[in-house]
Amino acid sequence: MSGKAFPPDAAQGPKAGSGTGDARHRAAGWRTRADGGAARAGAPSPGGGFDRGTPRRVRAPRGDALSCRGWAQEGALRMLMNNLDPEVAEHPDELIVYGGTGRAARSWPAFEAIARTLRTLAGDETLLVQSGKPVGVWRTHEWAPRVLIANSNLVPAWATAGHFRDLEARGLIMYGQMTAGSWIYIGTQGILQGTFETLAEAARRHCGGDLAGRWVLTAGLGGMGGAQPLAVTMNGGVALVVEVDRTRIERRLETRYLDRWTADLDEALRWKGEAVARREALSIGLLGNAAEVVPELLRRGERPDLLTDQTSAHDALEGYVPGGLSYQAALELRGRDPEAYIARAMASMARHCEAMVGFFRLGVPTFDYGNNLRGQAQAAGYTDAFAYQGFVPLYIRPLFCRGKGPFRWAALSGDPADIRRTDRAILEAFPDDPVLARWIPLAAERVAFQGLPSRICWLGYGERARFGEVIHQLVRRGEVKAPIVIGRDHLDAGSVASPNRETEGMRDGTDAVADWPLLNALVNTSAGASWVSIHHGGGVGIGYSIHAGMVAVADGSDLSGEKLARVLTTDPGMGVLRHADAGYPQALECAAEMGIRIPMREGSEGRDDG
């Protein structure tokens, strides 16, 4: 293409407020941007006619034998492969791990090239991956990450889902979601404890302490939403979860995240009522469309004790399924007429959100669980979409202020006994933590592993480095059978800018400031992470977030131990710094208590003059 390149908006016709153009944008499912431009709502499609190559079955190697030249490279290879294990990935043949179209690699040839390169990569070399495709190898040094990843990133004026889909259809970019393209997804367990803790805090606030004798209404049983039913029952409650795709219901039954299912609303309500009356923990999957079921429950006068949603609302084309059609008819429309599909999905999201606001107005505790349903509903013309708040400002931000967030690890040996050993170790390391004392035994009993055995728990600043040393010593002494990979979700204290989710309602109004995840990636690169990633659009869709990830491999060596001590300090420390800079007292207290240096507060009697 020659000549001057204009942002997609420049060719879209009349701007917001000019009458016909604004109406056209709304009718076609466009969201109006703050600068008056227009950006297609939703998230990327699978990529149209781009040939991703011949699918193959992928399963990570197990055991202590290296196929690469070092354990950092081996860890990256095994976790990439683990993301595409059929036990883990939602659509492995399409390289889709979770979250609509979140992929681990752009194509099968790209996957093979990444794997081939990792097997030959030296301990002082770094592989560069651009949106799921390996693009270069440089000699760096042994403290540098072995892999640097950038996924889905676009210059802001071009950061629209429509422009993204055009590039993706030509095989030029890939949607990495959060942990899909950064090779640290561990299955539904990866979101489970966060959901468990969110519901526990909501129960403390609204239900007298727990969910016994209470019921939760929600929707979505995909890679993220699939954690909801088990999180509810682990808190003692009854979950009624609406899901339009029967295969997702069956998957959650197989992995024991869901207890039973029905396609009959009346039967589901009867089961719910009986379990509530008996104060019995029970999860019920209801085959149906949330845009139809939630308004119907409101009309019937049902009153859940908590209400949320985790459908793939961030993705108006490949995620959310519009109401008024059978599931099969919706899929046919998606393939035949994507624009018509998007318009119907956006209208359905507006109805869905409107019903949730209806419950909220009646006093039902309601929260957005980070899928951008409110943003999509607002884009579709529903002006009261943000009547209820998101889960982070309501329940999670105090944890973020102390650098606390989703810490995870996976056993490269493939032996569940290694995770059982780390379970014991974390309880020994933090004997006075009541949350861990409750969570770890529950997870050990009720969470089925997907792919490589793994565990997740929430740890804060100081705690991550401390437990990283514990893991390092377990590997060093041979108490586990192979090295352990340590990582986290991008949904963390200091690694994401997402105004409709993690950074919603920041104290100083910096919801959309994206410097922090970039600084997070830079400092983790400097501190010794094994691989580092910067992504755009995860969780809430293209145009709505910037976020970073890091992974470190504990192989028992002296160098690995030094790296772990640094990167497991800098990474959660960025959460403390981010919230201290925004003026949160809890973060300022944590920084002072832990000796974290904040230059603007040194020698100025605690003042920050900007």
Side-chain angles (χ1 to χ4, degrees), residues 131-153:
S131 279
K133 183 178 80 172
V135 294
V137 174
W138 291 109
R139 185 177 181 187
T140 53
H141 54 85
E142 63 181 5
W143 270 84
R146 298 286 68 84
V147 189
L148 291 172
I149 300 169
N151 282 316
S152 323
N153 296 293

Side-chain angles (χ1 to χ4, degrees), residues 366-503:
T366 303
F367 60 93
D368 182 280
Y369 205 45
N371 58 357
N372 208 26
L373 177 67
R374 296 172 301 167
Q376 300 285 58
Q378 185 180 66
Y382 179 54
T383 59
D384 204 20
F386 283 81
Y388 57 93
Q389 288 184 279
F391 75 107
V392 171
L394 282 172
Y395 308 122
I396 300 299
R397 186 150 294 143
L399 301 178
F400 280 180
C401 286
R402 300 192 65 84
K404 196 160 191 171
F407 180 85
R408 63 182 63 177
W409 61 97
L412 294 180
S413 68
D415 190 338
D418 283 359
I419 295 300
R420 289 194 292 271
R421 180 65 188 93
T422 61
D423 284 346
R424 294 196 304 274
I426 199 166
L427 293 175
E428 293 162 1
F430 304 100
D432 300 321
D433 188 323
V435 174
L436 284 176
R438 178 178 53 166
W439 164 253
I440 293 296
L442 279 172
E445 176 188 351
R446 303 192 62 181
V447 175
F449 296 134
Q450 295 171 257
L452 290 171
S454 60
R455 184 67 74 226
I456 186 169
C457 72
W458 281 45
L459 294 178
Y461 181 80
E463 296 172 333
R464 297 194 202 186
R466 181 178 171 189
F467 191 57
E469 173 62 16
V470 170
I471 290 177
H472 168 67
Q473 291 298 332
L474 289 177
V475 178
R476 191 180 187 94
R477 295 193 299 264
E479 293 186 46
V480 292
K481 297 179 180 64
I484 287 177
V485 161
I486 299 171
R488 58 159 172 77
D489 195 352
H490 293 204
L491 186 166
D492 199 18
S495 60
V496 58
S498 183
N500 287 355
R501 195 162 87 169
E502 290 90 345
T503 53

Side-chain angles (χ1 to χ4, degrees), residues 238-241 258-262 268 271-272 282-286:
V238 177
L240 178 56
V241 190
L258 186 67
D259 294 326
R260 61 174 69 169
W261 79 280
T262 180
W271 290 346
K272 177 268 296 180
L282 179 69
S283 58
I284 303 159
L286 174 62

Side-chain angles (χ1 to χ4, degrees), residues 503-556:
T503 53
E504 177 183 345
M506 291 296 291
R507 182 186 179 97
D508 62 347
T510 57
D511 304 27
V513 173
D515 296 336
W516 297 99
L518 303 182
L519 288 171
N520 176 272
L522 290 169
V523 75
N524 287 338
T525 296
S526 303
S530 300
W531 64 96
V532 175
S533 55
I534 297 175
H535 294 198
H536 162 220
V540 288
I542 295 298
Y544 289 98
S545 63
I546 300 289
H547 40 96
M550 80 88 207
V551 184
V553 178
D555 66 12

Side-chain angles (χ1 to χ4, degrees), residues 296 318 467:
E296 173 61 15
E318 291 294 322
F467 191 57

